[in-house]
Amino acid sequence: MLPDDVLIQVKGLRKYFPVRKGMFGSVTAHIKAVDGVDLTIKKGETISLVGESGCGKSTTGRSIMRLIEPTGGEVLFRSQVLGGADGQEAVVDVATLSAGSVKALRREMQIIFQDPYSSLDPRMTVGELIGEPLRVQLAISRKERDERVVRLLEAVGLGADHRRRFPHEFSGGQRQRIGIARALALNPRFIVADEPVSALDVSIQAQVVNLLQDLQAELGLTYLFIAHDLSVVRHISDRVAVMYLGKIVEIADADELFSHPRHPYTEALLSAVPVADPDFVRNRIRLQGDVPNPSAPPSGCPFHPRCAYAVDRCKAEIPSLRETSPGHQASCHRVEELDLSGVDTRYAAA
Amino acid sequence: MNNLLEINDLRVNFMTESGVARAVDGINITIAPGRTLGVVGESGCGKSVTSRAILGLVDSPGWIESGEIMFNSRKGVVDLAQLPRNGRQINAIRGSEITMIFQEPMTALNPVLTIGDQITEPLLLHEKISRKEAKERAIASLAAVGISAPRQRFDEYAHNLSGGMRQRAMIAMALVCNPSLLIADEPTTALDVTIQAQVLDLMNELRQQFAGAIMFITHDLGVVATMADDVIVMYRGKIVESASVRDLYRNPLHPYTQGLMRSVPSIVNRGETRLQTIEGSVPRPTEFIRGCAFASRCANVMPVCRESVPALAPVSGPHKAACFLHHSISEERADAA
Amino acid sequence: MEFFKRYASDKVGLFFGVLLLIFYFVALTAQWITPADPFETSLSEGLQPPSAAHWLGTDQFGRDTLSRVILATQVTAKITTVALLFSLLLGVPIGMIVGYRGGLADAVVMRITDMMLIFPTIMLAIVIVVVVGPSESGVVVALGLSQLPNFIRIARSAALSVRRELYVEAAVSAGAGWPDILLRHVLHNISGPVIVKATLALPGFVLGASSLSYLGLGVQPPTPEWGQMLHEAKDFLTSAPYLIVGPAIALSIFVLSANMVGDSLNESLDPKLKGRRLKRILPRLNRKKAMS
């Protein structure tokens, strides 16, 4: 069903949030937070979802994990826990699994949250926090649990003596390490990292990014990395998917995407990142206006009202993702004719 | 006084559960009219506290311990550090001669007043003009920050505007009285990249037209590079390096500045597989540290660094650094001199 | 531990806390510490003013008022504690569950509490006592039920806000089910506001119990109760005014202490209020020190 090297295949994933109005809360509209996302995640790779706030990248990550119920679509996952007793893997559709199976699936799919301040229960000790997944999932003794907590703490660069302390005694970077240790507790094979470094200071960001990469190399993890900081994304990702208004508009290998974007939105996004060089000559593609209201998306290509290259066809027809070169897909009507500039060419011109 | 603002040996302390924290620990800053000063540093380095001290907004549990903040106001030079916190003098300066843009425009705008009410408020407070004139000026200033249909926006509320529009409205509000100093505290941090780019472009444009000086506070080295003329880098309440923006990026002197620049991955090329890091984390603000506060994290640490505090001294021309790698002047010796 | 330290640093709270503890100590040991038998009548010694033998005088039946006040402390403490536990143990789980789960159950429970809250507490209690019958257990049920909506509401609103916390989502992503989350995360995080609410509700319980007894709907004579004693004393207000002194003072001090303790608990439990007083005062002191 799934090619051998594929861990997750997302097909037509949708998540609509109802907009309720009036006294009886009748549904007047839907916000299409995720609107038909197709995504293939290979074993051991880091794939990033980027886009601006409200583009649906977090909702996509949470729907894949079934932390929120998807409205439609399939999330095929190669599971070991739900496989046969002989260690056979089974391909399951996460979107339709029963609640009991979802609980078992949490052993294989974990999430690292953006905000290490609010994702750790302030009244639990670090030991209890990291031990929680072990407690609810595995029937192991308290002593064994404690030993595993110590090993996890050491794996993320903290000490055994930290487990009796409370989260507020730690700095932001250390808290994020605790969050990572917690996510690793059950030996997952897939981790959704939802903006794991955005809330951290610059010098701490680098430490956490390095830790995530070391753990990946050591444990063979597969990451879905959700971020808006494109510099970090470029550094950490094998492949990158760009989202706009609930849809993936471009997906490619990281280097390819950053040097040869094929979608005008990607180009604008790349050019908007401020470069830490005062001599850098800015050839910025200015986007007009704001992201449209997702409950009333524009007709045709959702990006056309802000697109500098839009033609009449863009207002009428919705483009679909098309392969422009092997592994590179973009959803733009003018993908063949446009010559867009990536970061490398911009820099070379400066 | 030729400078617009001169901060001399400013110290701001905060009372915390675990003792007194020296949020700002003896800094000197000068801003000349029309210049843009970038203030860079990580959370807790004292950059925001400094801006609050200038505006007389340091509130309990914090207080200005010592130092002066000399400001060249329209009525002559005043020491903002000495003015009573809610006195008539500081109120006359705040909101008209010195104004501020905050990080979170949603919380900085009053949800129950219209955008127009809020923009005309400083005008009516500080200038003797009629309501009608104030309205015209407010509309002109909304138009100047690129808000379309300013006449309609004038009567709308903050929640009707998008994040980028709100920040534009904040900027309009800050500029309507023609301040001589605009303090921007992380004005684009809460915005998306494409909106950030719009707001930064706008601020750069306004920078050309507007004669006043800007103090631009941020943690983002990319934003500073595009916005500032001069930059100071702060670490744990002290200025560790101060230079023109070009000197700082071409030739960072302080190990902390170097570390910061190296630890940011580049969007331009993928670079090495591992990022360079600054080990450890910032010491707790209440902890007493003998010698240089960065010594515990510094790769080039020397015995002297743990003994005395390096002074912020010139290394080449106006480029200053507080590091014994570049000079041997300690704060104690600088005080004695 | 840290909590006790913080509470102890609040001198006012500490004082009233000790006072409240004394009340409960008296209540627990009442049988042994009464100077005379609180039930022994002696008509010849009726309505005596305070003396060395009877510090607070005697009532119309010649019973020692001090002993009766002491025993009444026990009766009141028992009634209010049981009633408080009743509404706490019933209200908090209900509120927590409907708050966390939401849906129809939430809507139904909320409308019922709305209806109960329309009536003033004492009115509701009177109706319940009339149904259950005037007795100690009647008072307990009446007070417990009439305060129940408050506890359901406080637990529900606390659970509602905790439900949206990221750490609850983190627990869900670890595979924890809702009973587990309620027990481990929600209960833990709402215990602060609930304890405060309980302490602040205590004076209400005491006043309620006394009011019912005063109206003759609560504790029945000869068992002493503060309200009931006040009821008896009011007939002799001119001839033996000393009779109201004991129960009145006991009642006021108890209510005051419980209120003050509730306030102090609120400050020491809520991290946001934590050390607020301290922070307001300390910088000023420091500035003075720096100036001198």
Side-chain angles (χ1 to χ4, degrees), chain A residues 52 201 279 284 287 290, chain B residues 43 162 194 198 201 246 250:
Chain A
E52 298 178 277
D201 270 323
D279 290 326
R284 194 177 265 161
L287 279 189
D290 290 303
Chain B
S43 50
S162 67
T194 60
Q198 292 174 0
D201 279 353
R246 181 153 298 134
R250 287 284 164 267

Side-chain angles (χ1 to χ4, degrees), chain B residues 3 49 53 58 71-72 106 138 157-158 224 242 247 330:
Chain B
N3 285 319
V49 177
V58 174
F71 176 66
N72 208 343
M106 194 61 222
Y157 294 90
V224 174
S242 128
D247 285 349
S330 67

Side-chain angles (χ1 to χ4, degrees), chain B residues 22-331:
Chain B
R22 299 178 174 202
V24 176
D25 193 13
I27 61 167
N28 299 293
I29 295 177
T30 56
I31 304 179
R35 298 286 282 184
T36 299
L37 175 74
V39 183
V40 196
E42 298 179 279
S43 50
C45 74
K47 55 190 194 299
S48 290
V49 177
T50 307
S51 67
R52 290 183 173 270
I54 296 172
L55 279 168
L57 292 174
V58 174
D59 202 354
S60 179
W63 69 97
I64 293 178
E65 177 73 28
S66 65
E68 46 187 25
I69 304 171
M70 307 306 289
F71 176 66
N72 208 343
S73 80
R74 283 169 205 152
K75 289 178 184 152
V77 178
V78 286
D79 183 356
L80 300 177
Q82 294 299 323
L83 295 182
R85 201 149 52 79
N86 276 315
R88 197 185 304 161
Q89 266 179 299
I90 187 82
N91 280 342
I93 291 173
R94 203 157 50 195
S96 85
E97 292 193 61
I98 305 179
T99 57
M100 185 151 180
I101 316 174
F102 297 90
Q103 173 173 347
E104 209 9 277
M106 194 61 222
T107 52
L109 288 169
N110 189 332
V112 298
L113 293 178
T114 63
I115 297 295
D117 285 339
Q118 297 184 65
I119 299 185
T120 48
E121 189 185 4
L123 279 173
L124 295 171
L125 265 172
H126 297 291
E127 292 178 32
K128 291 193 180 79
I129 56 172
S130 70
R131 212 158 255 287
K132 212 173 152 198
E133 276 174 284
K135 180 169 178 177
E136 286 313 310
R137 284 224 353 229
I139 289 171
S141 110
L142 282 172
V145 296
I147 290 181
S148 54
R151 256 169 222 286
Q152 284 149 39
R153 297 290 181 205
F154 186 87
D155 292 318
E156 284 182 13
Y157 294 90
H159 63 87
N160 298 125
L161 304 183
S162 67
M165 283 299 154
R166 270 181 222 137
Q167 198 56 290
R168 281 170 194 263
M170 279 291 297
I171 295 172
M173 202 189 302
L175 294 180
V176 72
C177 284
N178 289 318
S180 47
L181 177 63
L182 171 68
I183 298 173
D185 188 356
E186 304 261 9
T188 59
T189 307
L191 305 176
D192 277 318
V193 255
T194 60
I195 309 299
Q196 163 171 291
Q198 292 174 0
V199 172
L200 289 181
D201 279 353
L202 168 72
M203 289 192 71
N204 255 325
E205 250 168 53
L206 294 171
R207 193 150 72 103
Q208 320 296 335
Q209 302 159 13
F210 151 81
I214 302 177
M215 183 168 165
F216 198 102
I217 298 166
T218 180
H219 69 278
D220 188 324
L221 291 165
V223 170
V224 174
T226 61
M227 286 301 298
D229 300 315
D230 310 293
V231 184
I232 61 175
V233 182
M234 289 187 73
Y235 185 78
R236 219 176 168 264
K238 283 184 190 296
I239 298 174
V240 295
E241 186 159 359
S242 128
S244 74
V245 68
R246 181 153 298 134
D247 285 349
L248 189 88
Y249 283 82
R250 287 284 164 267
N251 184 23
L253 293 175
H254 198 281
Y256 175 65
T257 318
Q258 295 169 352
L260 270 189
M261 290 188 179
R262 280 197 214 116
S263 58
V264 183
S266 163
I267 192 172
V268 175
N269 44 39
R270 187 173 196 141
E272 298 150 48
T273 42
R274 283 180 68 86
L275 292 173
Q276 300 220 19
T277 61
I278 306 176
E279 284 313 310
S281 51
V282 185
R284 290 191 179 247
T286 47
E287 201 177 313
F288 172 77
I289 293 173
R290 194 182 154 89
C292 173
F294 188 61
S296 58
R297 305 176 72 190
C298 183
N300 311 84
V301 64
M302 303 176 291
V304 60
C305 305
R306 303 194 194 276
E307 290 303 316
S308 45
V309 185
L312 183 70
V315 177
S316 64
H319 194 157
K320 294 181 191 171
C323 181
F324 289 127
L325 289 172
H326 302 287
H327 58 71
S328 58
I329 307 163
S330 67
E331 275 195 353

Side-chain angles (χ1 to χ4, degrees), chain A residues 50-72:
Chain A
V50 302
E52 298 178 277
S53 50
C55 73
K57 54 189 194 297
S58 268
T59 311
T60 305
R62 282 170 161 75
S63 301
I64 291 176
M65 280 201 65
R66 194 88 180 269
L67 274 175
I68 49 181
E69 291 293 324
T71 309

